Amino acid sequence: MNKRSKWIGALSAVVLSAALTVSSVFPAAPVKAASNLVPDYEVKLLMPANAVLGSDDKLKSEVRSAFGMPDKVTKMNVQFLDTDGKDIYSNGWSPRIRKKEGDSKFELSYKKRYPIVNGNIDAALTKANQEGFDASDTNYEAQVEWGYQNKTLSITRSKDVKKSGYSGVDLPSVKDSRNLLIDNAPGKFDKWLYAGWGTEKLQNARIYGPVLAKRYTGTYSGLKTYIEVWPIRSATGSGTENIVEISFKTDDRDTASQKHDELVTYLKSKGWFLAQDSLKTQLIMDRY
């Protein structure tokens, strides 16, 4: 080996040694994971229909008065799509089409739900993060649905679309519903189990519903509050059962907890409380 080669070899060894020393003193900065989504909170409680509705299925005047609600209601027509085997719902997803009175567009929503175990909201948010729902994706909105005893994390992508040939709160046919939900399907939904999973299931989906609900709007403890009446097909299949739900939203977890407990106490004092968790979507999936 000539002198030049020896010199180059020695220099390379010095450079390598220095690089190793620097890397041990100053290790590479770890890649920072995206943070969890920040949810809002929707408290949802049930009210006994026989106590708060009149024979005309409207809210009794004393209930409306208690929450400052006028007699006027907003109608909402809602339907879900899934296969006969409920392949979409069994994987935690709910594709929904809704039309509210006065709106010119259909609201499409693709909702993914995570159970909140032992009240651990942050654990559910972390689980969702691990499955691709994190703060870097601003297309999805996270919400904690805060029921009587149970809580659920829902993560939703919504889109408003127009479709000619329908008026008022009429909902699209099964064919049009499939096409609308397929054409607007977000990537996370479509690729949930494999590429094209979501749209494949929608191609074979049918309608669950529709349910024409009505909403009263008022206030409770300074918070905008809704009471909704959902006439859902009865368990026997003959007639309907009115599900009455009172709800409000807040961005603050502590406020949700405090006002939840206060509202439960207030409703109990009036005889307007039903000690069950609200399961409207599940009832619709089970009964239609």
Side-chain angles (χ1 to χ4, degrees), residues 210-231:
V211 177
L212 180 60
K214 54 188 178 184
R215 171 188 282 176
Y216 297 82
T217 304
T219 57
Y220 170 73
S221 194
L223 296 169
K224 192 171 186 178
T225 301
Y226 302 107
I227 295 180
E228 295 179 357
V229 182
W230 289 63

Side-chain angles (χ1 to χ4, degrees), residues 12-232:
S12 298
V14 170
V15 170
L16 177 60
S17 176
L20 291 172
T21 300
V22 170
S23 66
S24 63
V25 175
F26 303 103
V31 177
K32 188 175 181 180
S35 57
N36 288 347
L37 285 163
V38 177
D40 67 4
Y41 302 85
E42 184 172 22
V43 170
K44 297 181 175 183
L45 300 170
L46 290 179
M47 307 173 80
N50 59 358
V52 299
L53 299 182
S55 57
D56 56 0
D57 292 336
K58 294 182 179 180
L59 271 184
K60 292 181 177 179
S61 59
E62 57 265 36
V63 181
R64 291 191 290 103
S65 178
F67 297 99
M69 293 177 169
D71 191 34
K72 185 180 185 304
V73 298
T74 300
K75 294 178 181 177
M76 306 177 296
N77 213 1
V78 177
Q79 65 189 23
F80 297 85
L81 259 72
D82 206 339
T83 63
D84 282 331
K86 303 177 190 175
D87 298 291
I88 300 174
Y89 187 68
S90 62
N91 279 283
W93 284 94
S94 294
R96 184 189 73 183
I97 301 179
R98 180 172 72 174
K99 184 72 178 296
K100 287 195 294 186
E101 189 175 19
D103 286 355
S104 61
K105 296 181 179 180
F106 295 109
E107 180 194 86
L108 311 183
S109 67
Y110 306 78
K111 182 178 289 189
K112 178 71 175 77
R113 287 187 170 92
Y114 291 88
I116 294 174
V117 182
N118 297 324
N120 194 335
I121 295 170
D122 294 313
L125 287 165
T126 298
K127 171 69 172 174
N129 190 329
Q130 293 166 350
E131 295 191 347
F133 298 103
D134 58 54
S136 68
D137 191 341
T138 57
N139 291 318
Y140 287 84
E141 294 183 351
Q143 182 176 86
V144 173
E145 299 173 358
W146 198 308
Y148 169 46
Q149 292 181 314
N150 296 326
K151 303 181 188 73
T152 302
L153 172 64
S154 66
I155 298 175
T156 307
R157 176 76 183 272
S158 298
K159 297 184 179 182
D160 292 332
V161 299
K162 279 193 172 184
K163 178 67 179 176
S164 61
Y166 298 94
S167 60
V169 293
D170 290 344
L171 290 173
S173 66
V174 63
K175 179 182 178 181
D176 287 342
S177 295
R178 287 173 182 162
N179 290 338
L180 287 172
L181 286 167
I182 288 170
D183 292 345
N184 292 279
K188 286 185 174 66
F189 167 74
D190 195 29
K191 300 173 184 176
W192 189 246
L193 294 185
Y194 49 82
W197 172 82
T199 50
E200 175 190 295
K201 298 304 177 186
L202 286 171
Q203 285 168 354
N204 299 295
R206 67 173 179 85
I207 289 172
Y208 288 77
V211 177
L212 180 60
K214 54 188 178 184
R215 171 188 282 176
Y216 297 82
T217 304
T219 57
Y220 170 73
S221 194
L223 296 169
K224 192 171 186 178
T225 301
Y226 302 107
I227 295 180
E228 295 179 357
V229 182
W230 289 63
I232 294 175

Side-chain angles (χ1 to χ4, degrees), residues 244-264:
V244 185
E245 180 187 85
I246 183 168
S247 65
F248 63 81
K249 294 180 184 179
T250 175
D251 292 330
D252 184 71
R253 187 179 301 187
D254 291 338
T255 299
S257 179
Q258 177 188 342
K259 299 299 182 183
H260 168 278
D261 294 348
E262 288 178 6
L263 183 55
V264 168

